[in-house]
Amino acid sequence: MVDLSDLLADLAGESEALEALVRPLPPADWARPTPAAGWTVAHQVAHLAWTDHVALLAATDAEAFFASVASAPEPARLVDHGAEEFLAPPTDLLARWRSGRAALAAVLSLVPPAEKLPWYGTRMSATSMVTARIMETWAHGEDIADALDVRRPDTHRLRHVAHLGVRTLGHGFAAHGRPVPATPVRVELAGPGGETWSWGPAESTDRVTGPARDFCLLVTQRRHRADLALTVTGPVADEWLDVAQAFAGPPGAGRPPLDPPPAVGPQTPAGSNGVPV
């Protein structure tokens, strides 16, 4: 079982790595469009700050959290409105994101293991909430990296994203109105250090294998499966890759296949701890 303090340290590391990427950007780069329609680099960071804010509300005042959902004037645009609400000049936006994620980490560190926190369409333990925050920070960081035409170094933190991707197999099917399969799927991924990460029964005939990064891009819907080096065996595994989503809520639109494939810029230099500098 993953220790909550270790998860919080990895969330801090993922956030600090992304902040190191955007902090030196000139104002013009904050206005660059990202693959998310209508969202700039600034919108991506504002979304992370807003999500930390509502997660803190869920952890400290459940009634206020539910009220914020019920009072949303356009529920379908709740996420967009949140990002727009938290937009600010880069320096102010970074300060808001930094203080908000620190406050959230402090509160989540004290949540009892058995307690379930409210979230959009579900309830989560503090461990699951932190894992979801790592996933979102990495995924929106990928949108920013795409906008800047850079390739960020892969780290051990991808395992949390992959784990959430595997755990949400049933959610992906249900979100798309499909029966949740009973057939187990074996997932074997090549980690950034050459290690193998695996989930599911070793004897399962439904299997997904490939690079951890590619699997994470798939389950966060940052790439179409046609653009990824994932090998799939079995009908359940094959259907899963069409509906997979590691995030809560209704089904995402996903991304169309890349044509032509994007030019990948140089990798951001990494320090000794894997955090971009």
Side-chain angles (χ1 to χ4, degrees), residues 183 185 205-208 225 231-240:
T183 302
V185 177
T205 55
D206 277 80
R207 309 174 73 86
V208 176
R225 62 181 292 184
T231 300
V232 185
T233 305
V236 171
D238 185 63
E239 185 178 4
W240 176 32

Side-chain angles (χ1 to χ4, degrees), residues 15-44:
S15 301
E16 289 160 6
L18 180 53
E19 182 173 340
L21 177 62
V22 299
R23 190 188 307 117
L25 295 178
D29 282 348
W30 283 83
R32 282 198 192 196
T34 67
W39 279 27
T40 64
V41 169
H43 281 90
Q44 298 285 349

Side-chain angles (χ1 to χ4, degrees), residues 84-128:
E84 291 162 4
E85 177 188 351
F86 271 64
L87 281 174
T91 300
D92 296 339
L93 178 52
L94 282 176
R96 175 179 291 176
W97 179 35
R98 194 181 304 122
S99 63
R101 68 185 192 242
L104 176 62
V107 166
L108 292 179
S109 70
L110 302 176
V111 174
E115 185 173 341
K116 298 292 185 180
L117 305 174
W119 199 237
Y120 299 101
T122 187
R123 300 185 74 88
M124 296 194 292
S125 66
T127 297
S128 294

Side-chain angles (χ1 to χ4, degrees), residues 35 53 61 63 94 120 141 155 222 236 246 249 251 271:
H53 166 74
D61 191 338
E63 289 188 8
L94 282 176
Y120 299 101
T155 76
R222 262 51 192 182
V236 171

Side-chain angles (χ1 to χ4, degrees), residues 1-2 4 21 56 58 77 97 110 133 138-139 142 151 166 173 210 212 216 221-222 241-243 258 263:
M1 184 175 180
V2 179
L4 179 58
L21 177 62
L56 180 63
R77 296 199 70 246
W97 179 35
L110 302 176
R133 299 308 306 131
W138 180 81
E142 284 300 296
R151 165 72 182 268
V166 173
F173 279 87
C216 292
Q221 297 190 356
R222 262 51 192 182
L241 293 202
D242 288 333
V243 300
L258 299 172

Side-chain angles (χ1 to χ4, degrees), residues 137-160:
T137 305
W138 180 81
H140 289 284
E142 284 300 296
D143 289 340
I144 292 171
D146 284 346
L148 300 175
D149 193 26
V150 299
R151 165 72 182 268
R152 302 185 300 164
D154 298 333
T155 76
H156 70 279
R157 296 187 294 271
L158 278 178
R159 182 161 190 161
H160 303 308

